[in-house]
Short mmCIF file of all heavy atoms in Angstrom, two decimals:
data_model
loop_
_atom_site.label_atom_id
_atom_site.label_comp_id
_atom_site.label_asym_id
_atom_site.label_seq_id
_atom_site.Cartn_x
_atom_site.Cartn_y
_atom_site.Cartn_z
N ASN A 1070 14.84 -29.42 21.22
CA ASN A 1070 14.99 -28.00 20.71
C ASN A 1070 15.60 -27.93 19.39
O ASN A 1070 15.27 -27.14 18.48
CB ASN A 1070 15.80 -27.15 21.66
CG ASN A 1070 15.02 -26.89 23.03
OD1 ASN A 1070 13.83 -27.02 23.03
ND2 ASN A 1070 15.64 -26.55 24.16
N GLY A 1071 16.63 -28.84 19.14
CA GLY A 1071 17.36 -28.94 17.82
C GLY A 1071 16.31 -29.32 16.86
O GLY A 1071 16.27 -28.77 15.71
N PHE A 1072 15.45 -30.42 17.13
CA PHE A 1072 14.54 -30.90 16.14
C PHE A 1072 13.51 -29.82 15.78
O PHE A 1072 13.22 -29.53 14.62
CB PHE A 1072 13.86 -32.13 16.81
CG PHE A 1072 12.72 -32.72 15.94
CD1 PHE A 1072 13.14 -33.67 14.92
CD2 PHE A 1072 11.50 -32.34 15.98
CE1 PHE A 1072 12.10 -34.32 14.15
CE2 PHE A 1072 10.47 -32.84 15.12
CZ PHE A 1072 10.79 -33.89 14.23
N LEU A 1073 13.03 -29.04 16.84
CA LEU A 1073 12.06 -28.06 16.52
C LEU A 1073 12.55 -26.90 15.87
O LEU A 1073 11.87 -26.23 14.99
CB LEU A 1073 11.41 -27.55 17.93
CG LEU A 1073 10.56 -28.70 18.63
CD1 LEU A 1073 10.05 -28.21 19.99
CD2 LEU A 1073 9.34 -29.11 17.79
N GLY A 1074 13.85 -26.63 16.01
CA GLY A 1074 14.58 -25.45 15.28
C GLY A 1074 14.47 -25.73 13.80
O GLY A 1074 14.09 -24.82 13.01
N GLY A 1075 14.58 -26.99 13.39
CA GLY A 1075 14.46 -27.40 11.95
C GLY A 1075 13.00 -27.38 11.54
O GLY A 1075 12.60 -26.82 10.53
N PHE A 1076 12.18 -28.02 12.35
CA PHE A 1076 10.70 -28.13 12.11
C PHE A 1076 10.03 -26.88 11.94
O PHE A 1076 9.18 -26.67 10.95
CB PHE A 1076 10.07 -28.94 13.13
CG PHE A 1076 8.64 -28.95 13.23
CD1 PHE A 1076 8.04 -29.93 12.33
CD2 PHE A 1076 7.81 -28.25 14.03
CE1 PHE A 1076 6.65 -29.99 12.31
CE2 PHE A 1076 6.50 -28.38 13.94
CZ PHE A 1076 5.76 -29.24 13.10
N GLU A 1077 10.40 -25.88 12.74
CA GLU A 1077 9.56 -24.59 12.62
C GLU A 1077 10.18 -23.60 11.59
O GLU A 1077 9.68 -22.53 11.50
CB GLU A 1077 9.63 -23.93 14.05
CG GLU A 1077 8.68 -24.81 15.00
CD GLU A 1077 8.65 -24.26 16.38
OE1 GLU A 1077 9.37 -23.31 16.72
OE2 GLU A 1077 7.91 -25.01 17.21
N LYS A 1078 11.13 -24.15 10.77
CA LYS A 1078 11.65 -23.29 9.60
C LYS A 1078 10.52 -23.15 8.61
O LYS A 1078 10.37 -22.19 7.78
CB LYS A 1078 12.89 -23.84 9.01
CG LYS A 1078 14.10 -23.54 9.80
CD LYS A 1078 15.36 -23.89 9.04
CE LYS A 1078 16.61 -23.42 9.88
NZ LYS A 1078 17.60 -24.34 9.87
N THR A 1079 9.61 -24.14 8.56
CA THR A 1079 8.50 -24.11 7.57
C THR A 1079 7.45 -23.15 8.14
O THR A 1079 6.85 -23.47 9.20
CB THR A 1079 7.94 -25.50 7.37
OG1 THR A 1079 8.94 -26.34 6.86
CG2 THR A 1079 6.73 -25.46 6.34
N PRO A 1080 7.12 -22.02 7.43
CA PRO A 1080 6.05 -21.14 8.07
C PRO A 1080 4.75 -21.86 8.24
O PRO A 1080 4.36 -22.74 7.56
CB PRO A 1080 5.98 -20.17 6.77
CG PRO A 1080 7.14 -20.30 5.95
CD PRO A 1080 7.57 -21.77 6.14
N GLY A 1081 4.20 -21.47 9.43
CA GLY A 1081 2.83 -22.11 9.79
C GLY A 1081 3.07 -23.29 10.77
O GLY A 1081 2.17 -23.68 11.41
N ASN A 1082 4.31 -23.88 10.80
CA ASN A 1082 4.47 -24.98 11.81
C ASN A 1082 4.66 -24.42 13.13
O ASN A 1082 5.26 -23.41 13.40
CB ASN A 1082 5.84 -25.74 11.46
CG ASN A 1082 5.51 -26.69 10.23
OD1 ASN A 1082 4.40 -26.79 9.69
ND2 ASN A 1082 6.60 -27.40 9.76
N GLY A 1083 4.13 -25.09 14.14
CA GLY A 1083 4.20 -24.74 15.48
C GLY A 1083 4.22 -25.92 16.40
O GLY A 1083 3.95 -27.07 15.94
N SER A 1084 4.69 -25.71 17.71
CA SER A 1084 4.71 -26.95 18.51
C SER A 1084 4.42 -26.50 20.02
O SER A 1084 4.40 -25.31 20.35
CB SER A 1084 6.13 -27.43 18.55
OG SER A 1084 7.06 -26.38 19.06
N ARG A 1085 4.02 -27.52 20.83
CA ARG A 1085 3.93 -27.36 22.18
C ARG A 1085 4.61 -28.54 22.87
O ARG A 1085 4.61 -29.67 22.31
CB ARG A 1085 2.55 -27.29 22.63
CG ARG A 1085 1.60 -28.42 22.09
CD ARG A 1085 0.15 -28.05 22.55
NE ARG A 1085 -0.60 -29.25 22.12
CZ ARG A 1085 -1.74 -29.70 22.62
NH1 ARG A 1085 -2.30 -28.97 23.64
NH2 ARG A 1085 -2.40 -30.78 22.24
N VAL A 1086 5.48 -28.23 23.88
CA VAL A 1086 6.31 -29.25 24.55
C VAL A 1086 5.96 -29.50 26.01
O VAL A 1086 5.74 -28.52 26.73
CB VAL A 1086 7.87 -28.74 24.46
CG1 VAL A 1086 8.80 -29.89 24.97
CG2 VAL A 1086 8.26 -28.56 23.09
N PHE A 1087 5.78 -30.73 26.31
CA PHE A 1087 5.47 -31.08 27.65
C PHE A 1087 6.48 -31.92 28.31
O PHE A 1087 6.84 -32.89 27.65
CB PHE A 1087 4.10 -31.78 27.75
CG PHE A 1087 2.87 -30.98 27.20
CD1 PHE A 1087 2.55 -31.23 25.83
CD2 PHE A 1087 2.25 -30.11 27.93
CE1 PHE A 1087 1.57 -30.46 25.28
CE2 PHE A 1087 1.23 -29.22 27.46
CZ PHE A 1087 0.86 -29.52 26.14
N LYS A 1088 6.91 -31.53 29.54
CA LYS A 1088 7.79 -32.59 30.24
C LYS A 1088 6.93 -33.47 31.06
O LYS A 1088 6.08 -33.06 31.90
CB LYS A 1088 8.68 -31.76 31.14
CG LYS A 1088 10.09 -31.68 30.72
CD LYS A 1088 11.16 -31.60 31.73
CE LYS A 1088 12.02 -32.81 31.78
NZ LYS A 1088 12.74 -32.93 32.86
N LEU A 1089 7.13 -34.78 30.78
CA LEU A 1089 6.18 -35.73 31.37
C LEU A 1089 6.19 -35.65 32.90
O LEU A 1089 5.11 -35.78 33.50
CB LEU A 1089 6.57 -37.17 31.07
CG LEU A 1089 6.13 -37.76 29.73
CD1 LEU A 1089 6.48 -39.17 29.72
CD2 LEU A 1089 4.56 -37.69 29.70
N ASN A 1090 7.30 -35.34 33.54
CA ASN A 1090 7.38 -35.31 34.99
C ASN A 1090 6.96 -34.05 35.59
O ASN A 1090 6.97 -33.85 36.82
CB ASN A 1090 8.86 -35.83 35.49
CG ASN A 1090 9.89 -34.73 35.15
OD1 ASN A 1090 9.60 -33.72 34.47
ND2 ASN A 1090 11.07 -34.89 35.58
N GLN A 1091 6.49 -33.20 34.79
CA GLN A 1091 5.92 -31.92 35.23
C GLN A 1091 4.36 -31.85 35.09
O GLN A 1091 3.73 -30.97 35.51
CB GLN A 1091 6.59 -30.63 34.58
CG GLN A 1091 7.98 -30.49 35.18
CD GLN A 1091 8.74 -29.38 34.44
OE1 GLN A 1091 8.26 -28.77 33.49
NE2 GLN A 1091 10.01 -29.26 34.78
#
Side-chain angles (χ1 to χ4, degrees):
N1070 289 342
F1072 180 89
L1073 293 177
F1076 172 75
E1077 288 175 2
K1078 280 192 176 139
T1079 299
N1082 281 355
S1084 60
R1085 46 187 192 153
V1086 182
F1087 300 94
K1088 252 209 116 195
L1089 270 187
N1090 65 357
Q1091 285 173 1

